[in-house]
Coordinates of all heavy atoms in Angstrom, one line a residue:
M3 N -1.9 -88.7 96.0 CA -1.0 -87.5 96.2 C 0.4 -88.0 96.4 O 0.7 -89.1 96.8 CB -1.4 -86.8 97.5 CG -2.9 -86.3 97.5 SD -3.2 -85.4 99.0 CE -3.0 -83.8 98.4
G4 N 1.3 -87.2 96.0 CA 2.7 -87.6 96.1 C 3.6 -86.4 96.0 O 3.2 -85.3 95.6
P5 N 4.8 -86.5 96.3 CA 5.8 -85.4 96.3 C 6.1 -85.1 94.8 O 6.1 -85.9 93.9 CB 7.0 -85.9 97.0 CG 7.0 -87.4 96.8 CD 5.5 -87.8 96.8
I6 N 6.4 -83.8 94.6 CA 7.0 -83.4 93.3 C 8.5 -83.4 93.5 O 9.1 -82.8 94.3 CB 6.5 -82.0 93.0 CG1 5.0 -81.9 92.8 CG2 7.2 -81.4 91.8 CD1 4.4 -80.5 92.6
V7 N 9.1 -84.2 92.6 CA 10.5 -84.5 92.7 C 11.3 -83.4 92.1 O 12.4 -83.0 92.6 CB 10.9 -85.8 92.0 CG1 12.4 -86.1 92.0 CG2 10.1 -87.0 92.7
G8 N 10.8 -82.8 91.0 CA 11.6 -81.7 90.4 C 10.8 -81.2 89.2 O 9.7 -81.7 88.9
A9 N 11.4 -80.1 88.6 CA 10.7 -79.5 87.5 C 11.7 -78.9 86.6 O 12.8 -78.5 87.0 CB 9.6 -78.5 87.9
L10 N 11.4 -78.7 85.3 CA 12.2 -78.0 84.4 C 11.2 -77.0 83.7 O 10.2 -77.4 83.1 CB 12.8 -78.9 83.4 CG 13.7 -78.3 82.3 CD1 14.9 -77.6 83.0 CD2 14.2 -79.4 81.4
V11 N 11.4 -75.7 83.9 CA 10.5 -74.7 83.4 C 11.2 -73.8 82.3 O 12.3 -73.4 82.5 CB 10.0 -73.8 84.6 CG1 9.0 -72.8 84.1 CG2 9.4 -74.7 85.6
F12 N 10.5 -73.7 81.2 CA 10.9 -72.8 80.2 C 9.8 -71.7 79.9 O 8.7 -72.0 80.0 CB 11.1 -73.5 78.8 CG 12.2 -74.6 78.9 CD1 11.9 -75.9 79.1 CD2 13.5 -74.2 78.7 CE1 12.9 -76.9 79.2 CE2 14.5 -75.2 78.7 CZ 14.2 -76.5 79.0
T13 N 10.3 -70.5 79.6 CA 9.3 -69.6 79.2 C 8.9 -70.0 77.7 O 9.7 -70.6 77.0 CB 9.8 -68.1 79.2 OG1 10.9 -68.0 78.2 CG2 10.3 -67.7 80.5
L14 N 7.7 -69.5 77.3 CA 7.2 -69.9 76.0 C 8.2 -69.4 74.9 O 8.5 -70.1 74.0 CB 5.8 -69.4 75.7 CG 5.2 -69.8 74.4 CD1 5.1 -71.4 74.3 CD2 3.7 -69.3 74.3
P15 N 8.7 -68.2 75.0 CA 9.6 -67.7 74.0 C 10.9 -68.6 73.9 O 11.4 -68.8 72.8 CB 10.0 -66.3 74.4 CG 8.8 -65.8 75.1 CD 8.3 -67.1 75.9
V16 N 11.4 -69.0 75.0 CA 12.6 -69.8 75.0 C 12.3 -71.2 74.4 O 13.1 -71.7 73.6 CB 13.2 -70.0 76.5 CG1 14.2 -71.1 76.5 CG2 13.7 -68.7 77.0
W17 N 11.2 -71.8 74.8 CA 10.8 -73.1 74.3 C 10.6 -73.0 72.8 O 11.1 -73.9 72.0 CB 9.4 -73.5 74.9 CG 9.0 -74.9 74.5 CD1 7.9 -75.1 73.6 CD2 9.5 -76.1 74.8 NE1 7.8 -76.5 73.5 CE2 8.7 -77.1 74.2 CE3 10.6 -76.6 75.7 CZ2 9.0 -78.5 74.3 CZ3 10.8 -77.9 75.8 CH2 10.0 -78.9 75.1
E18 N 9.9 -72.0 72.3 CA 9.7 -71.8 70.8 C 11.0 -71.5 70.1 O 11.1 -71.8 68.9 CB 8.6 -70.8 70.6 CG 7.3 -71.2 71.0 CD 6.2 -70.1 70.9 OE1 6.5 -68.9 70.8 OE2 5.0 -70.5 70.9
A19 N 12.0 -71.0 70.7 CA 13.2 -70.7 70.1 C 14.1 -71.9 69.9 O 15.0 -71.9 69.1 CB 14.0 -69.6 70.9
M20 N 13.8 -73.0 70.6 CA 14.6 -74.2 70.5 C 14.2 -74.9 69.2 O 13.1 -74.8 68.7 CB 14.2 -75.2 71.7 CG 14.7 -74.7 73.0 SD 14.3 -76.0 74.2 CE 14.5 -75.1 75.7
T21 N 15.2 -75.7 68.7 CA 14.9 -76.5 67.6 C 13.9 -77.6 68.0 O 13.8 -78.0 69.1 CB 16.2 -77.2 67.0 OG1 16.7 -78.1 68.0 CG2 17.2 -76.1 66.7
A22 N 13.2 -78.2 67.0 CA 12.3 -79.3 67.2 C 13.1 -80.5 67.9 O 12.6 -81.1 68.7 CB 11.6 -79.7 66.0
A23 N 14.3 -80.7 67.4 CA 15.1 -81.8 67.9 C 15.5 -81.5 69.4 O 15.4 -82.5 70.2 CB 16.4 -81.9 67.1
A24 N 15.8 -80.3 69.8 CA 16.1 -80.0 71.2 C 14.8 -80.2 72.0 O 14.9 -80.8 73.1 CB 16.6 -78.6 71.3
R25 N 13.7 -79.7 71.6 CA 12.4 -80.0 72.4 C 12.1 -81.4 72.5 O 11.8 -81.9 73.6 CB 11.3 -79.2 71.7 CG 11.3 -77.7 71.9 CD 10.0 -77.0 71.5 NE 9.6 -77.3 70.1 CZ 9.9 -76.5 69.0 NH1 10.5 -75.4 69.2 NH2 9.5 -76.9 67.8
S26 N 12.3 -82.2 71.4 CA 12.1 -83.6 71.4 C 13.0 -84.3 72.4 O 12.6 -85.2 73.2 CB 12.2 -84.2 70.0 OG 12.0 -85.6 70.1
A27 N 14.3 -83.9 72.4 CA 15.3 -84.5 73.3 C 14.9 -84.3 74.8 O 15.0 -85.2 75.6 CB 16.7 -84.0 73.0
I28 N 14.5 -83.1 75.1 CA 14.0 -82.7 76.4 C 12.8 -83.6 76.8 O 12.8 -84.1 77.9 CB 13.8 -81.2 76.5 CG1 15.1 -80.4 76.4 CG2 13.0 -80.9 77.9 CD1 14.9 -78.9 76.2
Q29 N 11.8 -83.6 76.0 CA 10.7 -84.4 76.3 C 11.0 -85.9 76.4 O 10.5 -86.6 77.3 CB 9.6 -84.2 75.2 CG 9.0 -82.8 75.2 CD 8.1 -82.5 74.0 OE1 8.4 -82.9 72.9 NE2 7.1 -81.8 74.2
D30 N 11.8 -86.4 75.6 CA 12.2 -87.9 75.7 C 12.9 -88.1 77.0 O 12.7 -89.1 77.7 CB 13.1 -88.3 74.5 CG 12.4 -88.3 73.2 OD1 11.1 -88.3 73.2 OD2 13.0 -88.4 72.1
S31 N 13.8 -87.2 77.4 CA 14.6 -87.3 78.6 C 13.6 -87.3 79.8 O 13.8 -88.0 80.8 CB 15.6 -86.2 78.7 OG 16.3 -86.3 79.9
A32 N 12.7 -86.4 79.8 CA 11.7 -86.3 80.8 C 10.9 -87.5 81.0 O 10.6 -88.0 82.1 CB 10.8 -85.1 80.6
R33 N 10.4 -88.1 79.8 CA 9.7 -89.3 79.9 C 10.5 -90.5 80.5 O 10.0 -91.3 81.3 CB 9.2 -89.7 78.5 CG 8.0 -88.9 78.0 CD 7.5 -89.4 76.6 NE 6.7 -88.4 76.0 CZ 7.1 -87.5 75.1 NH1 8.3 -87.6 74.6 NH2 6.2 -86.7 74.6
E34 N 11.8 -90.5 80.1 CA 12.6 -91.6 80.6 C 12.8 -91.4 82.1 O 12.8 -92.4 82.9 CB 14.0 -91.5 79.9 CG 14.9 -92.6 80.4 CD 16.3 -92.5 79.6 OE1 16.3 -92.0 78.5 OE2 17.3 -93.0 80.2
A35 N 13.0 -90.2 82.6 CA 13.2 -89.9 84.0 C 11.9 -90.3 84.8 O 12.0 -90.9 85.9 CB 13.5 -88.4 84.2
V36 N 10.8 -89.9 84.3 CA 9.5 -90.2 84.9 C 9.3 -91.8 85.0 O 8.9 -92.3 86.1 CB 8.3 -89.6 84.2 CG1 7.0 -90.2 84.7 CG2 8.3 -88.1 84.4
G37 N 9.7 -92.5 84.0 CA 9.6 -93.9 84.0 C 10.5 -94.5 85.1 O 10.0 -95.4 85.8
G38 N 11.7 -94.0 85.2 CA 12.6 -94.5 86.2 C 12.1 -94.2 87.6 O 12.2 -95.0 88.5
L39 N 11.5 -93.0 87.8 CA 11.0 -92.6 89.1 C 9.8 -93.4 89.5 O 9.7 -93.8 90.6 CB 10.7 -91.1 89.1 CG 11.8 -90.1 89.1 CD1 11.4 -88.7 88.9 CD2 12.6 -90.2 90.5
R40 N 8.9 -93.7 88.5 CA 7.8 -94.5 88.8 C 8.2 -95.9 89.2 O 7.6 -96.5 90.1 CB 6.8 -94.5 87.6 CG 6.0 -93.3 87.5 CD 4.9 -93.4 86.4 NE 4.2 -92.2 86.3 CZ 3.8 -91.6 85.2 NH1 4.0 -92.2 84.0 NH2 3.1 -90.5 85.2
A41 N 9.1 -96.5 88.5 CA 9.6 -97.8 88.8 C 10.2 -97.9 90.2 O 9.9 -98.8 91.0 CB 10.6 -98.3 87.7
Y42 N 11.0 -96.9 90.5 CA 11.6 -96.8 91.8 C 10.6 -96.7 92.9 O 10.6 -97.4 93.9 CB 12.6 -95.6 91.9 CG 13.0 -95.3 93.3 CD1 13.9 -96.1 94.0 CD2 12.4 -94.3 94.0 CE1 14.3 -95.9 95.3 CE2 12.7 -94.1 95.3 CZ 13.6 -94.8 96.0 OH 13.9 -94.6 97.3
Q43 N 9.6 -95.8 92.7 CA 8.6 -95.6 93.7 C 7.7 -96.8 93.9 O 7.4 -97.2 95.0 CB 7.7 -94.4 93.3 CG 6.8 -93.9 94.4 CD 7.6 -93.5 95.6 OE1 8.4 -92.6 95.5 NE2 7.4 -94.1 96.8
T44 N 7.4 -97.5 92.8 CA 6.6 -98.8 93.0 C 7.4 -99.8 93.8 O 6.9 -100.4 94.7 CB 6.3 -99.3 91.6 OG1 5.5 -98.4 90.9 CG2 5.5 -100.6 91.7
R45 N 8.7 -99.9 93.5 CA 9.6 -100.9 94.2 C 9.7 -100.5 95.6 O 9.5 -101.3 96.5 CB 10.9 -100.9 93.5 CG 11.8 -102.1 93.8 CD 13.0 -102.2 92.9 NE 13.8 -100.9 92.8 CZ 13.8 -100.1 91.7 NH1 13.1 -100.4 90.6 NH2 14.5 -99.0 91.7
A46 N 9.9 -99.2 95.9 CA 10.1 -98.7 97.3 C 8.8 -98.9 98.1 O 8.9 -99.3 99.2 CB 10.6 -97.3 97.3
D47 N 7.7 -98.6 97.5 CA 6.4 -98.7 98.2 C 6.1 -100.2 98.5 O 5.7 -100.5 99.6 CB 5.3 -98.2 97.3 CG 5.2 -96.7 97.2 OD1 6.0 -96.0 98.0 OD2 4.5 -96.2 96.4
T48 N 6.4 -101.1 97.5 CA 6.2 -102.5 97.7 C 7.0 -103.0 98.9 O 6.6 -103.8 99.7 CB 6.4 -103.3 96.4 OG1 5.5 -102.8 95.4 CG2 6.2 -104.8 96.6
E49 N 8.3 -102.6 98.9 CA 9.2 -103.1 99.9 C 8.8 -102.5 101.3 O 8.9 -103.2 102.3 CB 10.7 -102.6 99.6 CG 11.2 -103.4 98.4 CD 12.6 -102.8 97.9 OE1 13.1 -101.9 98.6 OE2 13.1 -103.3 96.8
A50 N 8.4 -101.3 101.3 CA 8.0 -100.6 102.6 C 6.8 -101.3 103.2 O 6.7 -101.6 104.4 CB 7.8 -99.1 102.4
I51 N 5.8 -101.6 102.3 CA 4.6 -102.3 102.8 C 4.9 -103.7 103.3 O 4.4 -104.1 104.3 CB 3.5 -102.3 101.7 CG1 3.0 -100.8 101.4 CG2 2.4 -103.2 102.0 CD1 2.2 -100.7 100.2
A52 N 5.8 -104.4 102.6 CA 6.2 -105.7 103.0 C 6.8 -105.7 104.4 O 6.5 -106.5 105.3 CB 7.1 -106.4 102.0
V53 N 7.7 -104.7 104.7 CA 8.3 -104.6 106.0 C 7.3 -104.3 107.0 O 7.3 -104.8 108.1 CB 9.4 -103.5 105.9 CG1 9.9 -103.1 107.3 CG2 10.6 -104.0 105.1
M54 N 6.4 -103.4 106.7 CA 5.3 -103.0 107.7 C 4.4 -104.2 108.0 O 4.0 -104.4 109.1 CB 4.5 -101.8 107.2 CG 5.3 -100.5 107.2 SD 4.4 -99.0 106.8 CE 4.3 -99.2 105.0
E55 N 4.1 -105.0 107.0 CA 3.3 -106.2 107.2 C 4.0 -107.2 108.1 O 3.4 -107.8 108.9 CB 2.9 -106.9 105.8 CG 1.9 -106.1 105.0 CD 1.6 -106.8 103.7 OE1 2.5 -107.2 103.0 OE2 0.4 -106.9 103.4
Q56 N 5.3 -107.3 107.9 CA 6.1 -108.2 108.7 C 6.0 -107.8 110.2 O 6.2 -108.6 111.1 CB 7.6 -108.3 108.3 CG 7.8 -109.0 107.0 CD 9.2 -108.8 106.4 OE1 10.0 -108.1 107.0 NE2 9.4 -109.3 105.2
R57 N 5.8 -106.5 110.4 CA 5.7 -105.9 111.8 C 4.3 -105.8 112.3 O 4.0 -105.1 113.3 CB 6.4 -104.6 111.8 CG 7.9 -104.7 111.5 CD 8.6 -103.4 111.6 NE 10.0 -103.6 111.3 CZ 10.9 -102.7 111.2 NH1 10.6 -101.4 111.3 NH2 12.2 -103.0 110.9
G58 N 3.3 -106.4 111.5 CA 2.0 -106.5 112.0 C 1.0 -105.6 111.3 O -0.2 -105.6 111.7
L59 N 1.4 -104.8 110.3 CA 0.4 -104.0 109.6 C -0.6 -104.8 108.9 O -0.3 -105.8 108.3 CB 1.1 -103.1 108.6 CG 0.2 -102.3 107.7 CD1 -0.3 -101.1 108.4 CD2 1.0 -101.8 106.5
K60 N -1.9 -104.5 109.1 CA -2.9 -105.2 108.3 C -3.3 -104.3 107.2 O -3.9 -103.2 107.3 CB -4.2 -105.4 109.2 CG -3.9 -106.1 110.5 CD -3.6 -107.6 110.2 CE -3.4 -108.4 111.5 NZ -2.2 -109.1 111.6
V61 N -3.0 -104.7 106.0 CA -3.3 -103.9 104.8 C -4.7 -104.1 104.3 O -5.2 -105.3 104.2 CB -2.3 -104.3 103.6 CG1 -2.6 -103.6 102.3 CG2 -0.9 -104.0 104.1
Q62 N -5.4 -103.1 104.1 CA -6.7 -103.1 103.5 C -6.7 -102.7 102.1 O -6.3 -101.5 101.8 CB -7.7 -102.2 104.3 CG -7.8 -102.5 105.8 CD -8.4 -103.9 106.1 OE1 -9.4 -104.2 105.4 NE2 -7.8 -104.6 107.0
R63 N -7.0 -103.5 101.2 CA -7.0 -103.2 99.7 C -8.3 -102.5 99.4 O -9.3 -102.9 99.8 CB -6.8 -104.5 98.9 CG -5.6 -105.3 99.2 CD -4.3 -104.7 98.8 NE -3.2 -105.6 99.2 CZ -2.0 -105.1 99.4 NH1 -1.7 -103.8 99.2 NH2 -1.0 -105.9 99.7
L64 N -8.2 -101.5 98.6 CA -9.3 -100.7 98.2 C -10.0 -101.4 97.0 O -9.3 -101.8 96.1 CB -9.0 -99.3 97.8 CG -8.4 -98.4 98.9 CD1 -8.1 -97.0 98.3 CD2 -9.3 -98.3 100.1
G65 N -11.3 -101.4 97.1 CA -12.1 -101.9 95.9 C -12.6 -100.7 95.1 O -12.3 -99.6 95.5
P66 N -13.2 -101.0 94.0 CA -13.7 -99.9 93.2 C -14.6 -98.9 93.9 O -14.5 -97.7 93.7 CB -14.5 -100.6 92.0 CG -13.9 -102.0 92.0 CD -13.5 -102.3 93.4
A67 N -15.5 -99.4 94.8 CA -16.4 -98.5 95.5 C -15.6 -97.6 96.4 O -15.9 -96.4 96.6 CB -17.4 -99.3 96.3
D68 N -14.5 -98.1 97.1 CA -13.7 -97.3 98.0 C -12.9 -96.2 97.2 O -12.8 -95.1 97.6 CB -12.6 -98.2 98.6 CG -13.3 -99.3 99.5 OD1 -14.2 -99.0 100.3 OD2 -12.8 -100.5 99.4
T69 N -12.4 -96.6 96.0 CA -11.7 -95.7 95.2 C -12.7 -94.6 94.7 O -12.3 -93.4 94.8 CB -11.1 -96.4 93.9 OG1 -10.2 -97.4 94.4 CG2 -10.4 -95.4 93.0
Q70 N -13.9 -94.9 94.3 CA -14.8 -93.9 93.9 C -15.2 -93.0 95.1 O -15.3 -91.8 94.9 CB -16.1 -94.6 93.4 CG -17.1 -93.6 92.9 CD -16.6 -92.6 91.8 OE1 -16.0 -93.0 90.8 NE2 -16.8 -91.3 92.0
A71 N -15.3 -93.5 96.3 CA -15.7 -92.7 97.4 C -14.5 -91.7 97.7 O -14.8 -90.5 98.0 CB -15.9 -93.6 98.7
W72 N -13.3 -92.2 97.6 CA -12.1 -91.3 97.8 C -12.1 -90.2 96.8 O -11.9 -89.0 97.1 CB -10.8 -92.1 97.8 CG -9.6 -91.2 97.8 CD1 -8.8 -91.0 96.8 CD2 -9.2 -90.4 98.9 NE1 -7.8 -90.1 97.2 CE2 -8.1 -89.7 98.5 CE3 -9.7 -90.1 100.2 CZ2 -7.4 -88.8 99.3 CZ3 -9.0 -89.2 101.0 CH2 -7.8 -88.6 100.5
E73 N -12.3 -90.5 95.5 CA -12.3 -89.6 94.4 C -13.4 -88.5 94.6 O -13.2 -87.3 94.4 CB -12.3 -90.2 93.1 CG -11.1 -91.0 92.7 CD -11.1 -91.7 91.4 OE1 -12.1 -91.7 90.7 OE2 -10.1 -92.4 91.1
S74 N -14.6 -89.0 95.0 CA -15.7 -88.0 95.3 C -15.4 -87.1 96.4 O -15.6 -85.9 96.3 CB -17.0 -88.8 95.6 OG -17.4 -89.6 94.5
F75 N -14.8 -87.6 97.5 CA -14.4 -86.8 98.6 C -13.4 -85.7 98.1 O -13.5 -84.6 98.5 CB -13.8 -87.7 99.7 CG -13.2 -86.8 100.8 CD1 -14.0 -86.2 101.7 CD2 -11.8 -86.7 100.9 CE1 -13.4 -85.4 102.7 CE2 -11.2 -86.0 101.9 CZ -12.1 -85.3 102.8
A76 N -12.3 -86.2 97.4 CA -11.3 -85.2 96.9 C -11.9 -84.2 96.0 O -11.6 -83.0 96.2 CB -10.2 -86.0 96.2
Q77 N -12.8 -84.6 95.2 CA -13.5 -83.6 94.3 C -14.4 -82.6 95.0 O -14.5 -81.5 94.6 CB -14.3 -84.3 93.2 CG -13.4 -85.0 92.2 CD -14.2 -85.9 91.2 OE1 -15.4 -86.1 91.3 NE2 -13.4 -86.6 90.3
S78 N -14.9 -83.0 96.2 CA -15.7 -82.1 96.9 C -14.9 -80.9 97.5 O -15.4 -79.9 97.8 CB -16.4 -82.8 98.1 OG -15.4 -83.2 99.1
A79 N -13.6 -81.1 97.5 CA -12.7 -80.0 98.0 C -12.3 -79.1 96.9 O -11.7 -78.0 97.1 CB -11.4 -80.6 98.6
Y80 N -12.6 -79.4 95.6 CA -12.2 -78.6 94.5 C -12.6 -77.1 94.6 O -11.8 -76.2 94.4 CB -12.7 -79.1 93.2 CG -12.0 -80.4 92.7 CD1 -11.0 -81.0 93.4 CD2 -12.3 -80.9 91.4 CE1 -10.4 -82.2 92.9 CE2 -11.6 -82.0 90.9 CZ -10.7 -82.6 91.7 OH -10.1 -83.7 91.2
P81 N -13.8 -76.8 95.1 CA -14.2 -75.4 95.2 C -13.4 -74.6 96.2 O -13.2 -73.4 96.1 CB -15.7 -75.5 95.6 CG -16.2 -76.8 95.2 CD -15.0 -77.7 95.3
L82 N -12.8 -75.4 97.2 CA -11.9 -74.7 98.2 C -10.5 -74.4 97.6 O -9.8 -73.6 98.1 CB -11.8 -75.6 99.4 CG -13.1 -75.9 100.1 CD1 -12.9 -76.9 101.2 CD2 -13.8 -74.7 100.7
I83 N -10.2 -75.2 96.6 CA -8.8 -75.1 96.0 C -8.8 -74.2 94.8 O -8.0 -73.3 94.6 CB -8.3 -76.5 95.6 CG1 -8.3 -77.4 96.9 CG2 -6.9 -76.4 94.9 CD1 -8.0 -78.8 96.6
R84 N -9.8 -74.4 93.9 CA -9.8 -73.7 92.6 C -10.1 -72.2 92.8 O -11.1 -71.8 93.3 CB -10.9 -74.3 91.7 CG -11.0 -73.7 90.3 CD -12.1 -74.3 89.5 NE -12.2 -73.8 88.2 CZ -12.9 -72.8 87.8 NH1 -13.6 -72.1 88.7 NH2 -12.9 -72.4 86.6
G85 N -9.1 -71.4 92.3 CA -9.2 -70.0 92.4 C -8.8 -69.4 93.7 O -8.7 -68.2 93.8
R86 N -8.7 -70.2 94.7 CA -8.2 -69.8 96.0 C -6.8 -70.1 96.3 O -6.0 -69.3 96.6 CB -9.1 -70.4 97.1 CG -10.5 -69.9 97.1 CD -11.3 -70.5 98.2 NE -12.7 -70.1 98.1 CZ -13.6 -70.3 99.1 NH1 -13.2 -70.9 100.1 NH2 -14.8 -69.9 98.9
M87 N -6.5 -71.4 96.1 CA -5.1 -71.9 96.3 C -4.4 -72.0 95.0 O -3.1 -71.9 95.0 CB -5.1 -73.2 97.1 CG -5.8 -73.1 98.5 SD -6.0 -74.7 99.2 CE -4.3 -75.1 99.6
V88 N -5.1 -72.3 94.0 CA -4.5 -72.6 92.6 C -5.3 -71.8 91.7 O -6.5 -71.8 91.7 CB -4.6 -74.1 92.3 CG1 -4.1 -74.3 90.9 CG2 -3.9 -75.0 93.3
P89 N -4.6 -71.0 90.8 CA -5.4 -70.2 89.8 C -6.3 -71.1 89.0 O -6.0 -72.3 88.7 CB -4.3 -69.6 88.9 CG -3.0 -69.6 89.8 CD -3.2 -70.8 90.7
E90 N -7.5 -70.6 88.6 CA -8.5 -71.4 88.0 C -8.0 -72.0 86.7 O -8.3 -73.2 86.4 CB -9.7 -70.5 87.7 CG -10.5 -70.0 88.9 CD -11.6 -69.1 88.7 OE1 -11.9 -68.8 87.5 OE2 -12.2 -68.7 89.7
D91 N -7.3 -71.3 85.9 CA -6.9 -71.8 84.6 C -5.9 -73.0 84.8 O -6.0 -74.0 84.1 CB -6.3 -70.8 83.6 CG -5.1 -70.0 84.2 OD1 -4.9 -70.1 85.5 OD2 -4.3 -69.4 83.5
G92 N -5.0 -72.9 85.7 CA -4.1 -74.0 86.0 C -4.8 -75.2 86.6 O -4.5 -76.3 86.2
F93 N -5.7 -74.9 87.5 CA -6.5 -76.0 88.1 C -7.3 -76.7 87.1 O -7.2 -78.0 87.0 CB -7.4 -75.4 89.2 CG -8.1 -76.4 90.0 CD1 -7.6 -77.0 91.1 CD2 -9.4 -76.9 89.6 CE1 -8.2 -78.0 91.8 CE2 -10.1 -77.9 90.3 CZ -9.5 -78.4 91.4
D94 N -8.0 -76.0 86.2 CA -8.8 -76.6 85.2 C -8.0 -77.4 84.2 O -8.4 -78.5 83.8 CB -9.6 -75.5 84.4 CG -10.6 -74.8 85.3 OD1 -10.9 -75.3 86.4 OD2 -11.1 -73.8 84.9
A95 N -6.8 -76.9 83.9 CA -6.0 -77.6 82.9 C -5.5 -78.9 83.6 O -5.4 -80.0 82.9 CB -4.8 -76.8 82.5
T96 N -5.1 -78.9 84.9 CA -4.7 -80.1 85.6 C -5.8 -81.1 85.7 O -5.5 -82.3 85.4 CB -4.2 -79.7 87.0 OG1 -3.1 -78.8 86.9 CG2 -3.7 -80.9 87.7
V97 N -7.0 -80.7 86.0 CA -8.1 -81.7 86.1 C -8.3 -82.3 84.7 O -8.6 -83.5 84.6 CB -9.4 -80.9 86.6 CG1 -10.6 -81.8 86.5 CG2 -9.2 -80.6 88.1
R98 N -8.3 -81.5 83.7 CA -8.5 -82.0 82.3 C -7.4 -83.0 81.9 O -7.7 -84.1 81.4 CB -8.5 -80.8 81.3 CG -8.8 -81.2 79.9 CD -8.8 -80.0 79.0 NE -7.8 -79.0 79.2 CZ -6.5 -79.1 78.8 NH1 -6.1 -80.2 78.2 NH2 -5.7 -78.1 79.0
L99 N -6.2 -82.7 82.2 CA -5.1 -83.6 81.9 C -5.1 -84.9 82.7 O -4.8 -85.9 82.1 CB -3.7 -82.8 82.0 CG -3.5 -81.7 81.0 CD1 -2.2 -80.9 81.4 CD2 -3.3 -82.3 79.6
V100 N -5.5 -84.8 83.9 CA -5.6 -86.0 84.7 C -6.7 -86.9 84.2 O -6.5 -88.1 84.0 CB -5.8 -85.7 86.2 CG1 -6.2 -86.9 87.0 CG2 -4.6 -85.1 86.8
A101 N -7.8 -86.3 83.8 CA -8.9 -87.1 83.2 C -8.5 -87.7 81.9 O -8.8 -88.9 81.7 CB -10.1 -86.2 83.0
Q102 N -7.8 -87.0 81.1 CA -7.3 -87.5 79.8 C -6.3 -88.7 80.1 O -6.4 -89.7 79.4 CB -6.6 -86.4 79.0 CG -6.0 -86.9 77.7 CD -5.2 -85.7 77.0 OE1 -5.4 -84.6 77.3 NE2 -4.4 -86.1 76.1
Y103 N -5.4 -88.5 81.0 CA -4.4 -89.6 81.3 C -5.1 -90.8 81.8 O -4.8 -91.9 81.3 CB -3.4 -89.1 82.4 CG -2.6 -90.2 82.9 CD1 -1.4 -90.6 82.2 CD2 -2.9 -90.8 84.1 CE1 -0.6 -91.6 82.6 CE2 -2.1 -91.9 84.5 CZ -1.0 -92.3 83.8 OH -0.2 -93.3 84.3
R104 N -6.1 -90.7 82.6 CA -6.9 -91.8 83.1 C -7.6 -92.5 82.0 O -7.6 -93.8 82.0 CB -7.8 -91.4 84.3 CG -7.0 -91.1 85.5 CD -7.9 -90.6 86.7 NE -7.1 -90.4 87.9 CZ -7.6 -89.8 88.9 NH1 -8.8 -89.3 89.0 NH2 -6.8 -89.6 90.0
R105 N -8.2 -91.8 81.1 CA -8.9 -92.4 80.0 C -7.9 -93.1 79.1 O -8.2 -94.3 78.7 CB -9.6 -91.3 79.1 CG -10.9 -90.8 79.7 CD -11.7 -90.0 78.7 NE -10.9 -88.9 78.0 CZ -10.7 -87.7 78.5 NH1 -11.3 -87.4 79.7 NH2 -10.0 -86.8 77.9
E106 N -6.8 -92.5 78.8 CA -5.8 -93.2 77.9 C -5.1 -94.3 78.5 O -4.8 -95.3 77.8 CB -4.8 -92.1 77.4 CG -5.5 -91.1 76.5 CD -4.5 -90.0 76.1 OE1 -3.3 -90.0 76.6 OE2 -5.0 -89.1 75.3
S107 N -4.9 -94.3 79.8 CA -4.2 -95.4 80.5 C -5.1 -96.7 80.6 O -4.6 -97.7 80.9 CB -3.7 -95.0 81.9 OG -4.7 -94.8 82.8
K108 N -6.4 -96.5 80.5 CA -7.3 -97.7 80.5 C -7.5 -98.4 79.2 O -8.1 -99.4 79.1 CB -8.7 -97.2 81.0 CG -8.7 -96.8 82.5 CD -10.1 -96.4 82.9 CE -10.1 -96.0 84.4 NZ -11.4 -95.6 84.9
R109 N -6.9 -97.9 78.2 CA -7.0 -98.5 76.8 C -6.2 -99.8 76.8 O -5.3 -100.1 77.4 CB -6.4 -97.6 75.8 CG -7.3 -96.4 75.6 CD -6.8 -95.5 74.4 NE -7.5 -94.3 74.4 CZ -7.1 -93.2 73.7 NH1 -6.0 -93.3 73.0 NH2 -7.8 -92.1 73.7

């Protein structure tokens, strides 16, 4: 889980009215921004953990079984979220896109 830093929202008619070059420029800019934010967050997290370790924090690294247990626990909450807190179509699309991202990032 993490904070949402920002968003850029277009209605479908506005998006479709843009030229392909404009849409491409927006998408490229977004990808670049996300890359920068990910790099910053990784650096900030690493530095923060190092400082906490210097002050006595004992870091427990998760293994595959721990990660699977966490994911199973999170998925057990889906029925409480889907259709109640998040519209079903948006929730389903998000779950599908996350699964697709995870599959593609393992290549």
